């Protein structure tokens, strides 16, 4: 082993039921919050937290047969993927084939970068309030 070669770090991810596992071995330097209506609909939240990797930086480890995808025909890039057993969001290949979108909440370890931008803010939910503006509780709040 050449000690001057960089060690490739991998970050594992999985679904809620634990039957689907994957790993990423890099990133495109993009970790963003997407506020578009499709991401809100798919996540059931105010925005999606997505990290982008090159296709060769992504690998399914187990449960690939449980992954279901949905690609609305009218979209240019957007697709979704989820575990057919537990419904968890899972990584999906952009229609361009140039990136795999990783739902950050499915990562099992902290990724090597932090979010850097918000996108599609013009279509953000009118009810959205930044987390930093709300009371913080370490557990369920007292009644």
């Amino acid at each position: 082993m050449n000690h001057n070669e960089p060690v490739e770090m991998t970050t594992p991810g999985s679904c809620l039921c634990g039957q689907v596992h994957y790993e990423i071995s890099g990133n495109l330097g993009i970790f963003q919050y997407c506020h578009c209506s499709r991401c809100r609909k798919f996540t059931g939240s105010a925005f999606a937290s997505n990290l982008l990797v090159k296709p060769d930086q992504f690998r399914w480890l187990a449960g690939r047969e449980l992954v279901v995808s949905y690609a609305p025909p009218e979209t240019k890039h957007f697709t979704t993927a989820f575990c057919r057993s537990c419904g968890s969001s899972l990584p999906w290949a952009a229609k361009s084939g140039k990136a795999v979108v990783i739902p950050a909440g499915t990562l099992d370890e902290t990724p090597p970068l932090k979010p850097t931008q918000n996108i599609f803010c013009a279509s953000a939910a009118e009810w959205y309030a930044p987390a930093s503006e709300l009371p913080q509780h370490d557990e369920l709040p007292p009644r």
Side-chain angles (χ1 to χ4, degrees), residues 72-125:
E74 71 279 7
T75 63
K76 186 175 180 180
H77 301 284
F78 185 82
T79 302
T80 63
F82 56 94
C83 172
R84 78 174 58 186
S85 177
C86 67
S88 293
S89 297
L90 286 168
W92 49 273
K95 288 181 176 181
S96 68
K98 295 179 181 177
V100 176
V101 179
I102 309 297
T106 66
L107 291 169
D108 295 331
E109 296 175 4
T110 302
L113 73 160
K114 300 280 186 213
T116 58
Q117 63 186 357
N118 287 278
I119 62 171
F120 292 103
C121 293
S123 61

Side-chain angles (χ1 to χ4, degrees), residues 2 4 6 16 31 34 45 47 53 70-71 77 102 121 137 141:
N2 182 340
N4 294 327
L16 186 60
F31 187 172
C34 182
S45 187
F47 57 85
V53 302
Y70 171 69
H77 301 284
I102 309 297
C121 293
H137 303 279

Side-chain angles (χ1 to χ4, degrees), residues 14-20 22 42-43 60 66-68 80-91 103 105-106:
S14 61
C15 66
L16 186 60
C17 71
Q19 294 184 75
V20 179
Y22 68 88
F42 181 64
T43 64
W60 293 110
L66 294 172
V67 180
V68 179
T80 63
F82 56 94
C83 172
R84 78 174 58 186
S85 177
C86 67
S88 293
S89 297
L90 286 168
T106 66

